[in-house]
Amino acid sequence: MSSLTLINASNIIDSALKAARKNNFSPLAIAVLDPGGHLIAFKREDGAGIARFDIAFGKAWGSLGMGFGSSELTRRSQKNPQFINTLTTISQGRMVPSPGGVLILDHEKAIIGAIGISGDIGENDEICAISGIEENGFIAANGIVS
Amino acid sequence: MSSLTLINASNIIDSALKAARKNNFSPLAIAVLDPGGHLIAFKREDGAGIARFDIAFGKAWGSLGMGFGSSELTRRSQKNPQFINTLTTISQGRMVPSPGGVLILDHEKAIIGAIGISGDIGENDEICAISGIEENGFIAANGIVS
Amino acid sequence: MSSLTLINASNIIDSALKAARKNNFSPLAIAVLDPGGHLIAFKREDGAGIARFDIAFGKAWGSLGMGFGSSELTRRSQKNPQFINTLTTISQGRMVPSPGGVLILDHEKAIIGAIGISGDIGENDEICAISGIEENGFIAANGIVS
Amino acid sequence: MSSLTLINASNIIDSALKAARKNNFSPLAIAVLDPGGHLIAFKREDGAGIARFDIAFGKAWGSLGMGFGSSELTRRSQKNPQFINTLTTISQGRMVPSPGGVLILDHEKAIIGAIGISGDIGENDEICAISGIEENGFIAANGIVS
């Protein structure tokens, strides 16, 4: 397994922000976490609300927590709301059922981290997450890692 | 960006209370927060329940957290209950999906604080919030700031 | 037992602030609580730090929690640090062993509320607390109520 | 009052990291917060431990909470350990009595944010914090703001 360096994480964030500005999305908060769920790097654009760090962090943490992106968690939460409520409480809010949390894989498909983005609607947040990962030569997994 | 002084915050509360008494609403609790979500001033009328501080505070905090008033959060919570449950946990109960949390903007439309009111039904709480802000020459934003 | 109205609480805060300005103390945060430990009114002067609400609230709450002012809690904390640490954790930080929390008594010496002040050194915070209570015709108890 | 942009915050972190590498200090975690105590940007160098985010964040948050840098909090904690224990609990661990938390002031000496660094000994963390602030044309306050 390779590991995600600070330079990798910073580049992924900057690429995701470039995608957001090109698409004229709302101001974003972007967190990149290591496989243990610990923050490597974070940026919050001017104008993003004060809860955006926690939401972005939770999308990434929940992706690592379950082993799949937060899009999949969103689908499961619609099927089984009670279980998601429990996960929310168990994780102290760090499992956020909204798109924008995406796993970062290396070329052997090992999970080497996760990105979480909040600020626009979840679908737009996810577009930026995937763009940031792929532009830096990593593999983005927004669903179940097969 | 201008900043909301203690005198501004106190005057907004007193104007909101005047509106409440004129309309004969139930006893209110009213909190005014700075842009970072920290309390500047608070008043709880005689007879308002002991949970009213936390509810009023949460309406204001949640407005700052998301960047829009708690009316908009109420609408989103009806569409996507799971996401709101997560926000409630993330914020330790400081995002209250009920009208009465309103952003306070200066004349350049910068967010300089928020007011949260609880005591009557949410719609009435919101009437007082908007009245308090506007009577003091600021701009009230109960939805998304455009 | 009489009860402390919002008007009483607001007047006590304004009197305490007047004392602070006359003495040229640092910017203060001032909370007045009912006998159940619930906030009635609060003001934070421009320039007071963002933790000042919690400290001011904790000085007042701890006074009600123990039945004596926070000066007495400070003395006991120096004699028995372990017990105070436990109280701090039990109360989730709402028992602050520093002067500035003072009980408010009516003329039958019944406890009708408490004030907590933070911003300057504890001894100066306490001067303002006592001044605010006494100027409004109530009895201040910064130690054990006899 | 001016405000600290994402670009400012990122530049301050990069300057602080440059000082760390020049001095051959241990791997650092560096957080920059807005005046309300909310994260703007963060970087953790490869090899820095998994608690370093919380420590760095806490040094910055505590500086904003009290209105002075964490060096001053360290001195006060040695004089009055009980009070610091209380602050730790009140702030849920976000007041860290170790040097490395420094306030960021603009040219009118208004507090526009704070930096917190953890990874080496506190004195070295503080050297990097001050260097990062000053190299970007802001004023560093590691003690009481006069």
Side-chain angles (χ1 to χ4, degrees):
Chain A
M1 190 181 102
S2 51
S3 77
L4 198 67
T5 64
L6 171 56
I7 290 172
N8 296 149
S10 295
N11 288 343
I12 289 172
I13 290 175
D14 289 340
S15 297
L17 285 176
K18 207 176 60 181
R21 287 310 111 240
K22 205 176 85 182
N23 287 296
N24 205 23
F25 291 157
S26 297
L28 300 185
I30 307 186
V32 173
L33 280 56
D34 70 20
H38 302 286
L39 195 64
I40 303 175
F42 174 76
K43 285 189 175 179
R44 177 165 55 103
E45 290 190 294
D46 306 338
I50 61 176
R52 295 295 178 185
F53 167 69
D54 288 312
I55 302 173
F57 184 92
K59 288 182 182 182
W61 200 96
S63 301
L64 292 163
M66 299 304 284
F68 45 74
S70 67
S71 284
E72 175 64 19
L73 191 64
T74 310
R75 279 187 289 277
R76 295 194 185 191
S77 117
Q78 282 151 1
K79 282 194 217 155
N80 190 348
Q82 273 64 50
F83 185 53
I84 297 296
N85 286 348
T86 303
L87 290 182
T88 299
T89 302
I90 277 183
S91 67
Q92 300 176 283
R94 292 178 298 178
M95 291 210 191
V96 178
S98 169
V102 179
L103 293 170
I104 305 169
L105 311 185
D106 66 12
H107 290 283
E108 286 133 27
K109 297 215 174 168
I111 296 170
I112 57 170
I115 185 170
I117 300 187
S118 178
D120 205 299
I121 59 166
E123 288 71 18
N124 290 341
D125 297 338
E126 191 182 80
I127 288 170
C128 299
I130 293 172
S131 175
I133 294 170
E134 295 185 343
E135 198 170 297
N136 287 282
F138 297 100
I139 299 170
N142 62 336
I144 298 172
V145 179
S146 56
Chain B
M1 192 181 103
S2 52
S3 76
L4 198 68
T5 65
L6 171 57
I7 289 171
N8 295 148
S10 295
N11 288 343
I12 289 172
I13 290 176
D14 290 339
S15 297
L17 285 176
K18 206 177 61 181
R21 288 312 109 240
K22 205 176 85 183
N23 287 295
N24 205 23
F25 290 159
S26 297
L28 300 185
I30 308 186
V32 173
L33 279 58
D34 70 22
H38 302 284
L39 195 65
I40 304 174
F42 174 77
K43 284 190 175 179
R44 178 165 54 102
E45 290 189 297
D46 306 337
I50 60 176
R52 293 297 177 185
F53 166 69
D54 288 312
I55 302 173
F57 184 90
K59 288 182 181 181
W61 200 96
S63 300
L64 292 163
M66 298 305 286
F68 44 74
S70 66
S71 284
E72 175 66 19
L73 192 64
T74 309
R75 279 187 289 277
R76 296 194 184 191
S77 118
Q78 282 150 2
K79 281 194 219 158
N80 190 350
Q82 274 66 52
F83 186 53
I84 298 297
N85 286 347
T86 303
L87 291 182
T88 300
T89 303
I90 274 187
S91 66
Q92 301 174 284
R94 292 178 299 177
M95 291 215 191
V96 178
S98 168
V102 179
L103 293 171
I104 305 168
L105 311 184
D106 67 13
H107 289 282
E108 286 133 26
K109 296 216 174 168
I111 296 170
I112 57 171
I115 185 171
I117 300 186
S118 178
D120 205 299
I121 59 167
E123 287 72 18
N124 290 343
D125 296 338
E126 191 182 80
I127 288 169
C128 299
I130 293 172
S131 175
I133 294 169
E134 294 185 344
E135 198 169 299
N136 287 281
F138 297 101
I139 298 171
N142 62 336
I144 298 172
V145 178
S146 58
Chain C
M1 191 180 102
S2 51
S3 75
L4 198 67
T5 64
L6 171 56
I7 290 171
N8 296 149
S10 296
N11 288 343
I12 289 172
I13 289 175
D14 290 339
S15 297
L17 285 176
K18 208 177 59 183
R21 290 309 110 239
K22 208 176 82 184
N23 286 296
N24 206 24
F25 290 157
S26 297
L28 299 186
I30 308 186
V32 172
L33 279 58
D34 70 20
H38 302 285
L39 194 65
I40 304 174
F42 175 76
K43 285 189 175 179
R44 177 165 56 102
E45 289 190 295
D46 306 338
I50 61 177
R52 295 296 176 185
F53 167 69
D54 288 312
I55 302 172
F57 184 91
K59 288 183 183 180
W61 200 95
S63 300
L64 291 163
M66 300 304 287
F68 45 75
S70 67
S71 283
E72 175 65 19
L73 192 62
T74 309
R75 278 187 289 275
R76 294 194 186 192
S77 119
Q78 283 151 359
K79 280 195 221 158
N80 190 348
Q82 273 64 48
F83 186 53
I84 297 296
N85 285 348
T86 303
L87 290 181
T88 299
T89 302
I90 277 183
S91 67
Q92 302 176 284
R94 292 178 298 179
M95 291 212 190
V96 178
S98 168
V102 179
L103 293 170
I104 304 168
L105 312 184
D106 67 10
H107 290 282
E108 286 132 27
K109 297 216 173 166
I111 295 170
I112 58 171
I115 186 170
I117 300 186
S118 179
D120 206 297
I121 58 166
E123 287 70 20
N124 289 342
D125 297 338
E126 191 181 82
I127 287 169
C128 299
I130 293 172
S131 174
I133 295 169
E134 293 184 344
E135 197 171 299
N136 287 281
F138 297 101
I139 298 169
N142 62 337
I144 299 172
V145 178
S146 55
Chain D
M1 192 180 102
S2 51
S3 76
L4 198 67
T5 65
L6 171 56
I7 289 171
N8 297 148
S10 295
N11 288 343
I12 289 171
I13 290 176
D14 290 340
S15 298
L17 285 176
K18 206 177 62 182
R21 290 309 109 239
K22 206 176 84 183
N23 286 296
N24 205 24
F25 291 158
S26 298
L28 300 185
I30 308 187
V32 172
L33 279 59
D34 71 21
H38 302 284
L39 194 65
I40 303 175
F42 175 76
K43 285 190 174 178
R44 176 166 55 101
E45 291 189 295
D46 307 337
I50 60 177
R52 293 296 177 185
F53 167 69
D54 287 314
I55 302 173
F57 184 91
K59 288 183 183 181
W61 200 96
S63 300
L64 292 163
M66 299 305 287
F68 45 74
S70 66
S71 283
E72 174 67 18
L73 192 63
T74 310
R75 278 187 288 277
R76 294 195 186 191
S77 116
Q78 282 151 359
K79 278 195 223 157
N80 189 350
Q82 274 65 53
F83 187 51
I84 297 296
N85 286 347
T86 303
L87 291 182
T88 299
T89 302
I90 274 187
S91 67
Q92 301 175 285
R94 293 178 298 178
M95 292 213 189
V96 178
S98 167
V102 179
L103 293 170
I104 304 168
L105 311 185
D106 67 11
H107 290 281
E108 286 133 27
K109 297 216 173 166
I111 295 170
I112 58 170
I115 187 171
I117 300 187
S118 178
D120 205 300
I121 58 166
E123 286 71 17
N124 289 342
D125 297 339
E126 191 181 81
I127 288 170
C128 300
I130 293 172
S131 174
I133 294 169
E134 293 184 345
E135 197 169 299
N136 288 281
F138 297 101
I139 298 169
N142 62 337
I144 298 172
V145 179
S146 57

